[in-house]
């Protein structure tokens, strides 16, 4: 057998069968979540480096709030789908139980943060006591300003963002390690395409 044939066989062996992949709706929701999170971090980081009094800064804030709200809705949909309708492929038999536990803990941590982050962001906005834009709506001030309570939400939101970066880094790093080093099919379970 030639080296090319051995490499091709390894690649085919590393690609899971359809039943070992997540269902297409779960995959689509996963990648939609990724896009929304990228938009949130990009809008937050851009907002920090520009003049906050410009109209572009307001557009970035509206984008950040809107994608945060959409992320919350998508994550709730993902959890409902996961609980009742989704196909959840098993981990490969070669994956140690400790790694499986860490992967699940990371995943549940991501879900928790993705649910909490929009809520802390909303608390920040509401206790600012000013009208704000969300998608196409101008929302009036709903609560009186409370700098102390708002400060708690700001701190929680900033801490959550840092924790989210760490968990996303671990999640992506582990997926790439499984795909590029171990080649055990874990990465391919969530890719939007299948390799042949």
């Amino acid at each position: 057998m030639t080296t090319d044939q051995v490499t091709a066989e390894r690649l085919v062996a590393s690609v899971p069968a359809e039943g070992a992949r997540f269902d297409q709706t779960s995959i689509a929701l996963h990648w939609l979540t990724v896009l929304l999170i990228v938009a949130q971090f990009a809008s937050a980081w851009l907002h920090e480096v520009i003049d906050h009094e410009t109209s572009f800064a307001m557009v970035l804030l509206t984008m950040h709030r809107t994608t945060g709200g959409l992320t919350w809705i998508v994550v709730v949909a993902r959890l409902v789908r996961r609980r009742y309708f989704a196909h959840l492929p098993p981990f490969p038999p070669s994956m140690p139980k400790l790694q499986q536990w860490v992967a699940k803990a990371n995943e549940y941590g991501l879900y928790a943060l993705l649910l909490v982050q929009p809520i802390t962001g909303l608390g920040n906005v509401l206790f600012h006591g000013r009208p704000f834009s969300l998608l196409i709506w101008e929302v009036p001030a709903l609560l009186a300003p409370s700098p102390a309570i708002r400060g708690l939400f700001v701190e929680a939101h900033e801490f959550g963002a840092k924790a989210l970066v760490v968990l996303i880094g671990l999640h992506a790093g582990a997926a790439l390690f499984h795909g590029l080093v171990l080649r055990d099919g874990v990465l391919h379970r969530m890719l939007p395409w299948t390799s042949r």
Side-chain angles (χ1 to χ4, degrees):
M1 202 177 267
T2 69
T3 307
D4 288 342
Q5 289 172 322
V6 171
T7 302
E9 280 189 14
R10 283 185 186 157
L11 286 173
V12 169
S14 73
V15 178
E18 259 327 288
R21 288 172 46 81
F22 285 91
D23 59 276
Q24 288 300 313
T25 303
S26 296
I27 292 170
L29 289 172
H30 172 271
W31 291 104
L32 176 58
T33 305
V34 170
L35 290 175
L36 289 168
I37 291 169
V38 168
Q40 284 176 276
F41 276 107
S43 60
W45 288 331
L46 275 173
H47 185 265
E48 289 305 308
V49 299
I50 66 167
D51 181 359
H52 290 193
E53 303 304 316
T54 63
S55 59
F56 184 54
M58 292 297 104
V59 168
L60 289 171
L61 277 178
T62 300
M63 179 181 160
H64 187 74
R65 293 172 185 147
T66 300
T67 54
L70 291 173
T71 300
W72 193 87
I73 292 167
V74 169
V75 169
V76 168
R78 286 181 68 180
L79 289 170
V80 169
R81 176 163 181 74
R82 180 184 180 88
R83 175 71 176 94
Y84 296 105
F85 308 108
H87 169 69
L88 305 175
F91 289 110
S94 61
M95 190 172 175
K97 294 292 181 193
L98 178 61
Q99 274 188 16
Q100 293 180 29
W101 182 87
V102 170
K104 287 179 185 177
N106 181 275
E107 183 179 15
Y108 296 143
L110 282 169
Y111 278 125
L113 281 173
L114 291 173
L115 287 173
V116 171
Q117 275 300 94
I119 294 169
T120 59
L122 180 63
N124 171 10
V125 171
L126 290 177
F127 285 103
H128 202 262
R130 296 180 184 169
F132 61 96
S133 298
L134 187 63
L135 201 58
I136 59 171
W137 298 285
E138 186 68 27
V139 181
L142 300 174
L143 298 172
S146 176
I149 296 174
R150 181 173 177 251
L152 293 174
F153 279 106
V154 168
E155 285 182 28
H157 198 66
E158 289 175 359
F159 176 80
K162 291 173 185 169
L164 198 54
V165 167
V166 170
L167 290 185
I168 289 169
L170 290 171
H171 183 71
L176 290 172
F177 180 73
H178 279 277
L180 301 175
V181 177
L182 298 179
R183 297 178 183 237
D184 57 5
V186 169
L187 175 65
H188 294 280
R189 299 176 342 147
M190 192 54 89
L191 289 179
W193 63 83
T194 56
S195 302
R196 292 286 176 226

